[in-house]
């Protein structure tokens, strides 16, 4: 059993590269700076839940964009008709179309050709080139109808999002946020992540404001008089007072070339000075010269910033905006004007903020619980396999280092759920080592030589490890596809952990064990535990209790279904929308006073929960009526009220999820669970047989219902993290059953005449220790996080502990009995067919 030297060299290079890539994560900034320039210095990026910061998802207002497009198209239609000397007064908006009434057939035909020439080819849905018009022009009943095509709307939305991305990037740069992440998400959304930013209120105003500035004349209308045509009442941005403003835009803010925050030299009041381009300067001079003594309104997003009277013609192409602004407001306004107007409003549909202090505490807790879990697993492996367990532990340490190395190389982001994924990956890595060691021990007991036992042990364990890991990868892949943010971070670390365990636990461990055998010239391998947890052989008749096991499982699943309906799941804001604010008060929190204050804000149901210390309170507020905008407004109201009670309060975490996002998350979460079950069913059916697949899925349904019942019974938040836990348990449950099924399949081939019941009992006894050992290892890796991880991961770690117990017991007491029942039914069915076949043959 010799390994090629080239293979050893390749493995060594891979391991050294991984160690070098991971090393910067263990060094401080000063130590990194002292290293040579050629040495890699990239570190794993910490997620916002670890370093603090804000995460916002903004959506382009497609309806407003469509409305603006229709209005501009109406102007184009009227202009084109006037150019051809066709009466354009009948052109009007009718719903989502522009309708033009032209009774004369000749004029209508001419107008039809003219309006069809307005159509512009846009790219198709796959971006393969032009060909589809942006508008569709049809005629019927002496009318011409102009509508926007789907391709045209999609093209406008895509262009608006691209333009908005650039404008948002400029606005964020204007306020000096370091290392922002701004990227497109889907067809109409963008993600903005800003490390270190605690209070996103000003940022929300900066990003959500359209910043469409226009200049209008103020109409001479006395109070109480009806408004003439073409005049609208617009509110003052500060006081709310109303101004009669002409609808016609005298000068568009697009002509601005610069805007700066400053102070009035006479009054020292904050103001914004602006400058036009050459065309804008000429138009501004003409307007001010023609309207001396008249008020001139500066309008931003439908609100009047100021309405000064024109004292004299302004020919320099510059002006000022003043009006009781604070310094921060002038900085924000000038940044908005410099970056330019958004093509359509952006709505904040999801917001998550973590304070840097909380992020630091989370990092410490993640490191401490991770080390504790790793040490517990290491000690357990030594207790199980003695010195051979140390080889497995080395492989686990290598697995951990390489995980950080690959995360660094791919530019991955490490989140708290990502740390949970790494810890869980360690537990899953142990599974492969336990399978290998148990198989080698079995082969050695048969009297095989050291190298023969190694070779057979790895070969027999390999297919089981592959099948088990594929089921985990199915769940992980679906988590990545349907999850978002931290859940995707968990999926990435789990995916890396699963793939790397194939390398470290199989390839590296094999080379190390062979090297030990060769160096010590061992004739046989003896793998004995330092502490014997189980007798060497068990002969338990598990199938005698099959009806009790299945009956108990069905009873617990029915009870869980009952708990699902009453009291029901405690849905987190990920699924039902709403607001969640975690605060830390300077003194022990007065919950009664806090509840009374927040209850008087007219923001609906408010729930308070004390978490951690006496000053740590979690505030939950129901989803607000009025859509996403109402949600963000309620957050500001809550923070202002809490600050009034305690000016030194810290807002550790803020989460705002709008109704649209919550509905999508709920749908994608359910879909992920269903698809995971179906994908695993297909895989087991392909690798084994139909009865194995049905047995696994039936057990999986029972396991999943019990998990749901656990969430309902203990009132844990059922959110995206809970879905991650559920999918992970589904993956582990099938993983565990694959190990049991694999041994059954092997024994069915070896003992073809043995009754199915005896084969199942024998197979379970052979893998019983492995099932228990693997479950204990995963529990040891997760238990520290479940106990000390805090509220941020309790929805993942605590259900995982329960889920591992459920998955292990169901593999032995439920999945195997279901397989026996299906096998007996199939044998009876086959036996019933045999006499009929014999009779038919006799008649023939």
């Amino acid at each position: 059993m010799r390994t090629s030297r080239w293979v050893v060299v390749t493995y060594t290079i891979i391991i050294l590269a991984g160690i070098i890539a991971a090393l910067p994560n263990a060094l401080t900034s000063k130590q990194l700076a002292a290293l040579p320039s050629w040495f890699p210095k990239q570190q794993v990026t910490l997620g916002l839940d670890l370093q603090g910061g804000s995460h916002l998802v903004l959506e382009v207002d497609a309806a407003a964009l469509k409305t603006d497009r229709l209005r501009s198209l109406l102007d184009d239609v009227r202009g084109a008709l006037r150019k051809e000397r066709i009466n354009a007064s009948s052109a009007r908006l009718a719903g989502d179309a522009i309708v033009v009434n032209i009774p004369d057939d000749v004029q209508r035909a001419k107008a039809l050709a003219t309006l069809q020439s307005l159509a512009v080819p846009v790219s198709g849905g796959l971006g393969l080139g032009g060909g589809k018009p942006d508008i569709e022009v049809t005629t019927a009943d002496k009318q011409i109808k102009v509508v926007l095509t789907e391709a045209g709307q999609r093209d406008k939305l895509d262009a608006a999002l691209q333009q908005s991305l650039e404008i948002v990037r400029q606005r964020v740069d204007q306020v000096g946020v370091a290392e922002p992440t701004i990227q497109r998400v889907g067809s109409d959304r963008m993600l903005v992540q800003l490390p270190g930013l605690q209070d996103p209120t000003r940022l929300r105003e900066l990003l959500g404001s359209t910043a469409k500035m226009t200049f209008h004349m103020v109409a001479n209308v006395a109070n109480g008089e009806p408004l003439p045509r073409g005049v609208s009442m617009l509110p003052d941005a500060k006081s709310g007072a109303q101004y009669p403003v002409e609808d016609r835009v005298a000068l568009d803010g697009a002509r601005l070339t610069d805007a700066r925050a400053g102070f009035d030299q006479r009054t020292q009041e904050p103001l914004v000075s602006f400058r036009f381009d050459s065309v804008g300067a000429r138009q501004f001079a003409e307007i001010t010269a023609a309207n001396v003594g008249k008020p001139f309104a500066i309008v931003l997003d439908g609100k009047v910033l100021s309405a000064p009277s024109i004292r004299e013609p302004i020919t320099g192409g510059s002006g000022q905006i003043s009006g009781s602004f604070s310094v921060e407001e002038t900085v924000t306004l000038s940044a908005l004007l410099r970056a330019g107007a958004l093509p359509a409003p952006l709505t904040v549909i999801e917001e998550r903020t973590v304070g840097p202090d909380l992020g630091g505490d989370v990092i410490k807790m993640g490191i401490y619980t991770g080390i504790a879990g790793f040490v517990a697993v290491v000690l357990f492996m030594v207790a199980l396999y003695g010195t051979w367990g140390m080889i497995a532990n080395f492989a686990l340490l290598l697995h951990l280092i390489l995980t950080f190395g690959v995360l660094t190389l791919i530019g991955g982001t490490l989140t708290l759920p990502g740390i949970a994924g790494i810890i869980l990956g360690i537990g899953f890595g142990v599974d492969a080592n336990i399978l290998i060691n148990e198989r080698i021990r079995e082969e050695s007991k048969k009297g095989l030589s050291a190298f023969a036992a190694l070779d057979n042990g790895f070969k027999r364990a390999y297919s089981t490890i592959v099948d088990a890991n594929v089921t985990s990868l199915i769940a992980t892949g679906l988590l990545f596809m349907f999850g978002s943010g931290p859940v995707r971070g968990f999926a990435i670390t789990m995916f890396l952990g699963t793939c790397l365990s194939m390398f470290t636990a199989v390839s590296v461990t094999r080379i190390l064990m062979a090297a030990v055998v060769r160096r010590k010239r061992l004739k046989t391998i003896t793998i004995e535990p330092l502490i014997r947890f189980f007798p060497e052989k068990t002969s338990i008749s598990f199938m005698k209790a099959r009806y009790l096991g299945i009956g108990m499982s069905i009873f617990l699943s029915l009870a869980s279904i009952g708990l699902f309906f009453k009291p029901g799941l405690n849905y987190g804001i990920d699924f039902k929308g709403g607001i969640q604010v975690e605060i830390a008060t300077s003194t022990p929190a007065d919950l009664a006073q806090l509840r009374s204050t927040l209850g008087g804000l007219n923001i609906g149901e408010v729930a308070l929960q004390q978490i951690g210390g006496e000053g740590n309170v979690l505030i939950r507020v129901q989803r607000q009526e009025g859509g996403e905008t109402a949600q963000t407004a309620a957050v500001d109201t809550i923070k202002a009220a809490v600050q009034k009670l305690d000016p030194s309060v810290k807002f550790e975490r803020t989460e705002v999820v709008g109704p649209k996002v919550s509905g999508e998350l709920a749908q994608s979460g359910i879909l992920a669970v269903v698809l995971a079950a179906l994908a695993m069913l297909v895989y087991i059916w392909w690798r084994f047989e139909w009865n194995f697949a049905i047995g696994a899925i039936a057990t999986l349904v029972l396991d999943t219902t019990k998990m749901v019942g656990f969430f309902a019974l203990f009132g844990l938040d059922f959110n995206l993290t809970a879905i991650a836990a559920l999918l992970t348990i589904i993956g582990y449950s099938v993983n565990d059953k694959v190990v049991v099924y694999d041994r059954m399949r092997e024994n069915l081939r070896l003992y073809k005449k043995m009754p199915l019941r005896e084969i199942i009992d024998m197979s379970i006894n052979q893998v019983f220790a492995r099932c228990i050992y693997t479950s204990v290892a995963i529990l040891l890796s997760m238990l520290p996080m479940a106990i000390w991880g805090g509220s941020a991961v309790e929805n993942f770690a605590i259900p995982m502990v329960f889920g591992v117990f459920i998955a292990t017991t169901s593999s032995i007491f439920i999945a195997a009995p279901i397989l026996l029942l299906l096998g007996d039914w199939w044998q009876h069915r086959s036996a019933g067919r045999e006499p009929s076949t014999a009779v038919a043959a006799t008649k023939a």
Side-chain angles (χ1 to χ4, degrees), residues 53-104:
S54 294
H55 161 114
L56 297 99
V57 177
L58 300 103
E59 183 179 66
V60 175
D61 191 337
L65 189 67
K66 184 178 180 180
T67 301
D68 286 346
R69 172 61 180 142
L70 284 170
R71 286 174 179 167
S72 66
L73 185 58
L74 178 60
D75 292 338
D76 293 342
V77 166
R78 287 172 174 168
L81 293 177
R82 289 193 196 101
K83 190 175 180 181
E84 296 296 327
R85 298 182 180 179
I86 300 171
N87 183 18
S89 60
S90 63
R92 58 186 174 82
L93 279 174
D96 291 340
I98 296 168
V99 176
V100 186
N101 291 306
I102 304 178
D104 185 74

Side-chain angles (χ1 to χ4, degrees), residues 727-743:
L727 277 172
T728 307
I729 284 299
I730 287 173
Y732 176 72
S733 180
V734 176
N735 176 312
D736 207 49
K737 285 151 192 60
V738 163
V739 173
V740 178
Y741 282 171
D742 188 70
R743 185 56 67 96

Side-chain angles (χ1 to χ4, degrees), residues 49-52 354-366:
D49 55 350
L50 295 180
Q51 64 172 322
V354 177
D357 292 342
L358 181 62
D361 293 342
V362 169
I363 291 175
K364 289 178 184 176
M365 196 54 65

Side-chain angles (χ1 to χ4, degrees), residues 3 48 62 138 264 290 544 687 733 744 811:
T3 305
L48 297 184
T138 57
D264 190 315
K544 283 185 178 179
R687 288 290 290 152
S733 180
M744 290 180 189
S811 298

Side-chain angles (χ1 to χ4, degrees), residues 17 20-21 23-24 27 32 35-43 408-409:
I20 291 171
L23 186 60
L27 303 177
L32 281 175
L35 290 174
S37 58
W38 55 265
F39 197 90
K41 299 179 182 180
Q42 183 180 352
Q43 293 179 312
T408 304
L409 289 173

Side-chain angles (χ1 to χ4, degrees), residues 361-655:
D361 293 342
V362 169
I363 291 175
K364 289 178 184 176
M365 196 54 65
I367 292 172
Y368 294 157
T369 54
I371 292 172
F374 185 80
V375 169
V377 170
V378 165
L379 293 176
F380 183 64
M381 291 299 288
V382 172
L384 279 182
Y385 303 116
T387 53
W388 296 103
M390 291 305 297
I391 293 178
N393 287 334
F394 176 77
L396 287 177
L397 179 62
L398 202 57
H399 172 275
L400 183 64
I401 293 170
L402 292 180
T403 300
F404 274 96
V406 175
L407 274 175
T408 304
L409 289 173
I410 65 175
T413 300
L414 185 63
T415 61
L416 184 58
I419 293 176
I422 292 173
I423 296 170
L424 190 59
I426 293 170
F428 282 173
V430 170
D431 178 43
N433 282 297
I434 289 175
L435 274 170
I436 291 167
N437 279 282
E438 290 296 321
R439 277 292 193 177
I440 294 172
R441 180 188 282 171
E442 287 180 22
E443 298 301 318
S444 296
K445 297 291 183 183
K446 294 177 183 178
L448 295 179
S449 66
F451 280 113
L454 272 180
D455 195 40
N456 282 6
F458 273 95
K459 280 181 180 177
R460 293 182 184 278
Y462 186 74
S463 64
T464 309
I465 292 170
V466 169
D467 287 335
N469 284 340
V470 167
T471 55
S472 296
L473 288 174
I474 289 171
T476 303
L478 288 164
L479 267 177
F480 184 80
M481 285 172 61
F482 294 100
S484 63
V487 174
R488 278 197 165 187
F490 167 77
I492 290 170
T493 55
M494 270 299 298
F495 178 83
L496 291 176
T498 305
C499 294
L500 288 171
S501 70
M502 292 290 292
F503 173 67
T504 57
V506 178
S507 303
V508 175
T509 303
R510 182 176 183 138
I511 292 174
L512 291 175
M513 292 184 83
V516 170
V517 171
R518 192 176 295 110
R519 183 174 291 276
K520 292 188 175 183
R521 299 183 179 181
L522 299 176
K523 299 297 181 182
T524 59
I525 293 179
T526 303
I527 301 179
E528 293 297 332
L530 294 181
I531 303 172
R532 189 171 293 280
F533 297 97
F534 282 96
E536 191 169 339
K537 283 188 178 181
T538 58
S539 55
I540 304 168
S541 183
F542 290 99
M543 291 305 98
K544 283 185 178 179
R546 62 186 182 276
Y547 294 114
L548 177 63
I550 293 174
M552 181 67 73
S553 179
I554 292 173
F555 170 75
L556 290 175
S557 291
L558 290 173
S560 296
I561 292 170
L563 289 170
F564 173 76
F565 288 104
K566 191 175 182 180
L569 291 172
N570 181 24
Y571 290 104
I573 66 169
D574 287 337
F575 290 153
K576 66 180 182 181
I579 300 165
Q580 197 165 277
V581 180
E582 185 178 330
I583 63 171
T585 56
S586 54
T587 57
D590 187 340
L591 293 183
Q593 185 183 21
L594 193 59
R595 187 175 288 108
S596 173
T597 301
L598 296 176
L601 298 178
N602 296 321
I603 53 175
E605 183 182 347
V606 178
L608 302 180
Q609 178 185 349
Q610 202 153 27
I611 54 174
E614 293 181 342
N616 297 95
V617 180
L618 184 66
I619 304 170
R620 299 172 188 260
V621 181
Q622 71 177 51
R623 192 172 74 189
Q624 302 296 299
E625 297 296 331
E628 279 75 8
T629 307
Q631 298 270 101
T632 54
V635 172
D636 297 337
T637 304
I638 292 166
K639 288 185 174 181
V642 173
Q643 280 181 322
K644 195 172 181 180
L645 290 176
D646 183 0
S648 59
V649 68
K650 290 183 179 179
F651 296 98
E652 301 283 22
R653 187 192 302 271
T654 304
E655 296 183 56

